[in-house]
Amino acid sequence: RVLGVLIIGVLAGINAANVTLFFKNIINAAVSANFRQVFCYIILYLTIHLLCIGTTSYFRDIKFPVWDEEIRENILQVIYFQYLKVDHKDLEDPSFRDILERALREGDTRIINILNTFQYTLTNFLSALSVLSIISIMNPVLILFAVVPVLISLAMNSKMSEQRAAFQNQTARDQRV
């Protein structure tokens, strides 16, 4: 699953660079009225784009569901065997019940969510890096216009993640088994 996540991240970076370069090259070719070059850029763009999207779809729609189910089965098996080892006196402890409830509630989805978050983060990072690299080559001053939205987005996503975690921890006690 991690290898698929890495491949999708790299392909997202390639696709972001492809889009950026496509617009730059298509505008330059259209201004110079070189319609043969415009056609070549369109074909090149579509080829790269379709390869990236096709490979990403293959992993996301075919491989990931199979791998995710295998991960869920393994995690639930681990939770089950750990539960068999629990001393029944521990079940009377509220903090232990909170931990047990959270393991039962999130056990089969938590690792998948972590992998998905890693995939989104890697995809966004590599896409931003590729676009920023191309922009810096074209005109370094434009980087300021690209960096500010990225920093704002990072700050907002970090704050939302903190609030989501706090909410989940707060509601865990109310949802005891």
Side-chain angles (χ1 to χ4, degrees):
R1 175 78 151 85
V2 174
L3 179 62
V5 167
L6 293 174
I7 290 171
I8 286 176
V10 169
L11 290 176
I14 290 170
N15 205 28
N18 183 38
V19 170
T20 306
L21 289 174
F22 170 73
F23 285 116
K24 175 191 174 287
N25 292 332
I26 204 82
I27 290 169
N28 289 340
V31 167
S32 67
N34 188 344
F35 296 108
R36 183 174 180 201
Q37 197 173 27
V38 169
F39 181 73
C40 289
Y41 283 131
I42 290 172
I43 296 299
L44 180 63
Y45 164 77
L46 288 175
T47 302
I48 294 171
H49 183 71
L50 290 174
L51 284 172
C52 290
I53 296 300
T55 306
T56 299
S57 293
Y58 170 74
F59 278 104
R60 189 187 62 232
D61 299 334
I62 295 172
K63 297 304 283 181
F64 283 2
V66 172
W67 292 339
D68 290 352
E69 192 58 37
E70 290 173 3
I71 291 170
R72 279 187 193 95
E73 287 176 10
N74 290 334
I75 293 295
L76 289 174
Q77 190 175 37
V78 167
I79 291 172
Y80 174 73
F81 286 120
Q82 289 298 319
Y83 180 75
L84 292 177
K85 296 177 185 176
V86 170
D87 185 9
H88 292 289
K89 288 185 277 183
D90 292 333
L91 293 174
E92 296 172 9
D93 180 14
S95 63
F96 179 79
R97 286 196 314 260
D98 289 343
I99 293 169
L100 177 62
E101 187 278 326
R102 186 172 183 186
L104 292 172
R105 181 170 38 103
E106 299 178 6
D108 63 335
T109 58
R110 182 74 156 193
I111 189 70
I112 305 301
N113 291 341
I114 290 169
L115 288 169
N116 288 337
T117 301
F118 175 65
Q119 175 187 334
Y120 301 141
T121 304
L122 182 67
T123 298
N124 290 335
F125 174 75
L126 292 177
S127 296
L129 183 65
S130 66
V131 170
L132 288 175
S133 298
I134 291 169
I135 290 173
S136 70
I137 291 169
M138 294 184 337
N139 188 349
V141 175
L142 293 176
I143 291 178
L144 294 175
F145 294 106
V147 169
V148 171
V150 169
L151 293 177
I152 291 171
S153 176
L154 283 173
M156 290 176 58
N157 287 338
S158 174
K159 186 68 174 172
M160 286 173 32
S161 293
E162 290 173 7
Q163 289 176 348
R164 189 178 306 114
F167 177 76
Q168 286 176 346
N169 287 337
Q170 183 181 20
T171 59
R173 288 184 189 92
D174 300 332
Q175 299 174 354
R176 286 190 188 133
V177 175

